[in-house]
Amino acid sequence: MSRLTAALIVRDEQAFIEGCLASLVDHVDEIVVVDTGSRDDTVERALHYPIKLSHFTWCDDFSAARNFALAQARYDLVTGLDDDDTWLPDRLRQLVEALRPGVGFVAA
C-alpha cells in the first residue's frame, strides 16, 4: 500500500487545527504542518499531535508555500488540506488504495 503524507499550510487557525489533526492521526503515515506566521496558539495546539512542523515566511504566494510544504513530505503521495478540513478515514484510505505509488498530489 502507498504511504500518505497530509500537508497543511496554516496561520492563525487555533479554532480549527485540532479537529483537522485529530481526523488525520492514525489514518495517514505523516502529517506536515507549515506555519506561515501564526500569532495565536495554532502552533502550540498542533504540537500536541504527531506532526512534522516547519515555518515558512509568507510572501503573498500560496504556490510557494504549497511547494515548500510538499518539499517537507517524506512520502511521494501527498494530500493537501485546509486546516478547517476534516477527513473521513474510510474515504481517505479508498483514495490512497486507488492510486498507484508515485502518483503525487491528491486534492482534498
Side-chain angles (χ1 to χ4, degrees), residues 22-95:
S23 77
L24 294 169
V25 171
D26 298 326
H27 303 291
V28 297
D29 301 296
E30 175 185 45
I31 303 171
V32 170
V33 174
V34 175
D35 183 72
T36 61
S38 290
R39 295 169 298 225
D40 63 6
D41 67 345
T42 297
V43 170
E44 291 78 11
R45 290 174 185 231
L47 288 172
H48 288 100
Y49 295 84
I51 64 168
K52 177 181 178 184
L53 176 67
S54 297
H55 297 277
F56 179 82
T57 302
W58 184 249
C59 59
D60 272 342
D61 184 348
F62 188 79
S63 295
R66 175 65 70 206
N67 289 338
F68 179 82
L70 292 174
Q72 307 312 303
R74 185 177 351 166
Y75 304 115
D76 290 335
L77 189 58
V78 179
T79 185
L81 297 164
D82 289 332
D83 41 37
D84 60 348
D85 288 339
T86 55
W87 268 103
L88 298 172
D90 291 340
R91 178 67 179 133
L92 182 61
R93 276 294 156 201
Q94 287 173 353
L95 286 172

